[in-house]
Amino acid sequence: FGYQAWLAYHPLADEAKREAANYRWIASCEQEETVQAAVSELVRGIGGLRGEAVQVSKEQEPITGKGIRIGTFKGNEEVRLLCGDAVERLSMEGFVIRTVGDITVIGANTSAGVLYGAFHLLRLLALGNAPADSDIVEKPANGLRMINQWDNIDGSIERGYAGQSIFYANNEISYDSERIQDYARLLASTSVNAIAINNVNVHRLETMFLTEAYLPRIAELAAILRRYAIKLYFSINFASPIEVGGLQTADPLDAEVREWWKSRAADIYAAIPDFGGFLVKADSENRPGPFTYGRDHADGANMLAEALAPYGGLVIWRCFVYNCKQDWRDRTTDRARAAYDHFMPLDGAFHPNVLLQIKNGPMDFQVREPVSPLLGAMEHTNQLIEFQITQEYTGQQRHLCYLVPQWRTVLDFQTLAQGAASPVKRIVDGSVYGRELGGFAAVSNIGSDANWTGHPLAQANLYGYGRLAWNPELTAEEIAREWAAQAIGPDEAVIDTVCEMLMASLDIYESYTAPLGVGWMVNPNHHYGPNVDGYEYDRWGTYHFADRDGIGVNRTVQSGTGYAGQYIGENAAIYESLERCPDELLLFFHHVPYTHRLHSGITVVQHIYDTHFDGAERAEGLVRKWQSLTGLVNEELYRLAQARFSEQAAHAKEWRDIINTYFYRKSGIADERGRTIY
Ligand code: GCW
């Protein structure tokens, strides 16, 4: 189960099949490969959904009965005419789906738009929602909709929980083309249009990607992805001029270094004419960067931008820059402040083909963090928001944790950058500051596991990411339903149950893990499972400061690290204030006694006990809910997920008991309800 994921095209129920009967033939006159990919997908999809083959036809032939005409406005005159005045309103990647008499037309400015239109129609059909009379115009909210693979050439995946890489093995670029193509289909169907194919931590061999040793093979990969309108990027090592070029320095202001990058860019574009650009992790977690030479991040990014600009390439520069060798005794340094402190002073200094990639929160993909204050702060800089689909800190695809609700919360957050109409989603799409480049990036959660994501339900996160990147107004629930209906099948009762489980899962996970926004109570290195003090006396800047009296990090301006002051206006005031700070982020911003009363009316320590008992119980509830689907879903799906739910329930108890016991022992305060704490 699961290889076809949400492109399974399960046969429709009889009634919905009648809708699919509106599409008996597909006519297209363009040979362009992405248009042809769209046609093949329609053939495969409608054939599967209807259980009957579809006829493919050349445009000029006379065709009778109901069918689809598909193509670009430039390449297919008929399509352009049928699309009417919608043609004028369409962006480059948008599409029109329109019924005119017996014909449904899918038209777009570009072949990418045509492909998105085809996937859209298939989605509507699979969901039983294709109107007999369509008049649809869609366009993506975000220009860049990117996936980052943290894959290494040895076949491992940093923070990968679904097997090995599908791109590499044994220190070679090594892949099954069909599998890559199927990944591209999955990604394109959700709207993804860019992929960085290697880990941002660029090791020795991957540093050589920009040489003749690897470029031909990478060009082959790019060709597979191109058919699905996905541009290939790779991560580079800032020290490449030294490690590859044999130069003495990688100083971004050194003339020889700049020339070196320019000639590398020329080589790359000779091999891959539509190469997307570089993704860069510099001066971060021991990676080399401009700091070595007393230069700043704008110097570093702009040097690369200059090399790529003649070819239309982009530099995606990550803002995950902080001191990872902090002394835990040092109470003045605050990791949460770091991205803003490093990058805010550089606003306006970056070239137009640079985008800053900013993690959604100021720390690192915890189950609960505030939104990064850098999002919205930089008026003159292109920004991409970075999410983590792979569940590093959210259960590692052993636990169910549907992340779309978390991403929606982040995207809807009002930055107040330009008054009340500046939510994060309008910052990153570029509209608030009128920026041309912007969008989403996210760390993929797939690997060589047959069902792609290990936990079969973790597919919903990958699916949801792409859908949100296209349209951040979709609700988490809508997306969950879409995924379940397409991946599992059309049985409404099954869809309801699966959606209920997905929708509850983030809150369940948060309940039994680290409380009230404090984060980080995990085992060091692999980050799986509870360990309250795992990072407390370490150098990573990730502390909770629990003592016998209280817990939390004082990040106020008045008496703490000052981080709260990085927010704009009222947001800063709310986080600064102990009274106004939202409960779920209390310990991120304030150090409070265990007896502090939350807005909910209960004390902090009682909240910890209550949520942990409750979370573990609800994890157990997931097992029972899933059991209610016995016999109603594919057997393999049932078995795979059942095993994970049992593990999650047992592991949630471990979390509950370790966290509760820790705080009981620290505080000496008993549970008001007298439940067992060890
Ligand atoms: O979350 C941390 C991870 C690292 C990762 C780093 C980053 C790729 O633990 O594994 O490195 O973030 O985002 O660069």
Side-chain angles (χ1 to χ4, degrees):
F1 170 85
Y3 182 77
Q4 299 300 339
W6 52 89
L7 300 181
Y9 303 124
H10 295 294
L12 294 169
D14 284 345
E15 200 179 315
K17 257 186 198 153
R18 258 179 266 136
E19 285 176 3
N22 285 332
Y23 315 104
R24 300 202 162 276
W25 50 262
I26 302 163
S28 101
C29 65
E30 288 161 281
Q31 287 318 302
E32 199 274 341
E33 60 176 343
T34 305
V35 174
Q36 285 308 310
V39 172
S40 323
E41 200 65 32
L42 286 170
V43 169
R44 182 202 289 244
I46 297 173
L49 292 167
R50 201 175 66 182
E52 207 183 307
V54 193
Q55 231 187 303
V56 181
S57 197
K58 289 269 186 296
E59 180 73 7
Q60 292 350 325
E61 294 168 18
I63 292 161
T64 51
K66 296 187 171 188
I68 298 172
R69 283 193 190 276
I70 182 168
T72 63
F73 302 145
K74 276 213 187 83
N76 191 325
E77 179 67 14
E78 192 95 14
V79 161
R80 194 177 60 81
L81 291 173
L82 287 168
C83 286
D85 54 7
V87 171
E88 315 301 325
R89 287 179 279 143
L90 217 53
S91 67
M92 288 312 276
E93 292 178 292
F95 59 80
V96 178
I97 301 177
R98 203 164 174 224
T99 321
V100 186
D102 276 350
I103 296 173
T104 298
V105 61
I106 304 176
N109 281 311
T110 60
S111 57
V114 168
L115 182 67
Y116 299 137
F119 278 121
H120 191 81
L121 182 64
L122 287 166
R123 182 164 47 240
L124 293 179
L125 273 174
L127 300 174
N129 284 339
D133 210 355
S134 308
D135 194 0
I136 298 167
V137 178
E138 282 240 0
K139 59 176 194 221
N142 294 287
L144 205 56
R145 304 179 299 277
M146 186 177 208
I147 282 287
N148 293 175
Q149 297 296 140
W150 282 359
D151 296 33
N152 302 313
I153 200 164
D154 64 4
S156 65
I157 303 176
E158 184 151 349
R159 313 307 178 186
Y161 310 106
Q164 294 288 104
S165 174
I166 63 166
F167 293 89
Y168 314 99
N170 307 317
N171 291 334
E172 305 267 7
I173 297 177
S174 161
Y175 54 82
D176 168 356
S177 311
E178 207 175 300
R179 179 115 201 200
I180 300 293
Q181 174 166 316
D182 284 332
Y183 187 36
R185 289 175 52 234
L186 289 174
L187 292 179
S189 74
T190 70
S191 89
V192 167
N193 64 359
I195 185 169
I197 59 164
N198 62 309
N199 190 356
V200 289
N201 291 323
V202 183
H203 306 296
R204 191 174 56 87
L205 291 174
E206 295 89 336
T207 297
M208 310 295 285
F209 274 15
L210 38 62
T211 70
E212 275 313 302
Y214 291 101
L215 283 174
R217 200 80 176 108
I218 295 175
E220 286 168 26
L221 258 181
I224 302 176
L225 299 165
R226 182 178 302 123
R227 184 170 153 86
Y228 292 91
I230 299 171
K231 272 197 182 179
L232 181 144
Y233 292 63
F234 53 71
S235 304
I236 56 108
N237 177 344
F238 196 80
S240 299
I242 303 171
E243 292 184 26
V244 183
L247 304 186
Q248 295 301 310
T249 176
D251 181 350
L253 299 191
D254 180 281
E256 227 186 323
V257 170
R258 297 173 85 88
E259 274 317 304
W260 187 85
W261 280 110
K262 282 182 188 155
S263 60
R264 290 298 67 71
D267 292 351
I268 294 169
Y269 281 92
I272 311 167
D274 58 349
F275 179 65
F278 297 145
L279 173 60
V280 194
K281 173 175 179 177
D283 289 317
S284 164
E285 298 186 330
N286 307 313
R287 307 312 302 158
F291 286 168
T292 310
Y293 310 98
R295 314 298 184 195
D296 65 30
H297 285 267
D299 296 328
N302 290 344
M303 166 191 64
L304 298 172
E306 211 174 278
L308 298 179
Y311 314 94
L314 303 180
V315 174
I316 302 188
W317 191 273
R318 295 178 84 231
C319 295
F320 187 57
V321 178
Y322 68 99
N323 177 5
C324 65
K325 292 183 181 137
Q326 191 178 327
D327 184 340
W328 60 267
R329 300 165 191 84
D330 164 19
R331 296 292 291 260
T332 59
T333 306
D334 179 6
R335 170 168 165 179
R337 294 187 54 121
Y340 186 101
D341 285 345
H342 282 297
F343 287 92
M344 190 54 197
L346 299 176
D347 188 24
F350 293 93
H351 284 189
N353 60 330
V354 176
L355 295 102
L356 295 188
Q357 181 166 311
I358 304 167
K359 287 192 182 185
N360 65 267
M363 297 298 279
D364 194 8
F365 303 133
Q366 301 301 291
V367 65
R368 176 77 66 172
E369 288 185 42
V371 169
S372 168
L374 197 52
L375 291 162
M378 302 181 85
E379 207 174 323
H380 308 286
T381 306
N382 305 318
Q383 309 189 17
L384 268 187
I385 191 167
E386 179 176 340
F387 294 116
Q388 195 184 44
I389 309 172
T390 195
Q391 293 170 238
E392 177 177 1
Y393 294 98
T394 49
Q396 304 196 353
Q397 283 140 253
R398 321 285 320 159
H399 297 223
L400 184 66
C401 193
Y402 177 52
L403 291 164
V404 176
Q406 184 200 61
W407 301 335
R408 274 297 310 246
T409 306
V410 171
L411 293 165
D412 290 340
F413 178 76
Q414 282 295 350
T415 65
L416 304 178
Q418 297 219 324
S422 336
V424 167
K425 61 192 167 196
R426 296 280 98 84
I427 299 292
V428 300
D429 71 13
S431 57
V432 167
Y433 293 127
R435 306 216 54 90
E436 233 162 79
L437 296 177
F440 285 24
V443 185
S444 180
N445 64 346
I446 69 107
S448 59
D449 281 3
N451 67 12
W452 301 93
T453 53
H455 199 311
L457 274 59
Q459 283 183 0
N461 285 328
L462 182 62
Y463 177 79
Y465 166 72
R467 293 288 289 140
L468 271 190
W470 180 277
N471 179 7
E473 306 303 331
L474 292 171
T475 67
E477 174 117 48
E478 281 169 327
I479 291 174
R481 292 197 79 80
E482 284 187 4
W483 174 77
Q486 293 172 93
I488 299 179
D491 182 332
E492 283 293 325
V494 171
I495 296 172
D496 286 344
T497 303
V498 171
C499 286
E500 223 178 282
M501 296 174 76
L502 286 168
M503 289 304 292
S505 62
L506 176 68
D507 188 57
I508 294 176
Y509 188 80
E510 183 174 11
S511 297
Y512 61 72
T513 55
L516 300 166
V518 78
W520 297 107
M521 294 177 174
V522 290
N523 284 303
N525 307 320
H526 61 70
H527 300 162
Y528 191 65
N531 186 342
V532 182
D533 285 337
Y535 275 113
E536 195 58 13
Y537 306 102
D538 215 328
R539 60 203 163 91
W540 298 92
T542 49
Y543 315 115
H544 53 66
F545 301 119
D547 60 21
R548 65 175 190 174
D549 300 318
I551 176 172
V553 192
N554 183 350
R555 292 190 162 107
T556 63
V557 175
Q558 215 214 342
S559 56
T561 69
Y563 167 79
Q566 292 183 340
Y567 290 88
I568 298 168
E570 195 59 8
N571 285 339
I574 289 172
Y575 292 140
E576 178 78 14
S577 155
L578 184 56
E579 289 70 43
R580 297 175 70 196
C581 184
D583 283 351
E584 68 274 11
L585 288 170
L586 183 71
L587 303 183
F588 195 92
F589 286 99
H590 298 274
H591 185 90
V592 297
Y594 294 116
T595 50
H596 173 85
R597 268 189 203 281
L598 299 166
H599 295 124
S600 66
I602 45 179
T603 63
V604 165
V605 73
Q606 191 59 40
H607 172 93
I608 294 175
Y609 299 151
D610 288 351
T611 51
H612 284 76
F613 281 116
D614 177 59
E617 208 169 289
R618 285 194 292 155
E620 190 68 54
L622 290 175
V623 178
R624 287 193 302 274
K625 262 250 142 63
W626 188 252
Q627 278 165 354
S628 75
L629 298 180
T630 321
L632 300 177
V633 297
N634 172 290
E635 235 171 81
E636 196 189 351
L637 162 66
Y638 183 80
R639 192 173 41 74
L640 281 170
Q642 177 64 18
R644 307 257 164 169
F645 284 125
S646 308
E647 177 178 342
Q648 176 177 1
H651 203 222
K653 286 202 187 85
E654 191 70 3
W655 268 100
R656 174 196 69 192
D657 292 337
I658 287 178
I659 301 284
N660 283 346
T661 300
Y662 179 97
F663 287 103
Y664 175 57
R665 289 182 186 173
K666 274 259 148 134
S667 69
I669 302 172
D671 172 30
E672 284 168 4
R673 292 162 61 185
R675 290 162 291 196
T676 307
I677 297 180
Y678 299 87

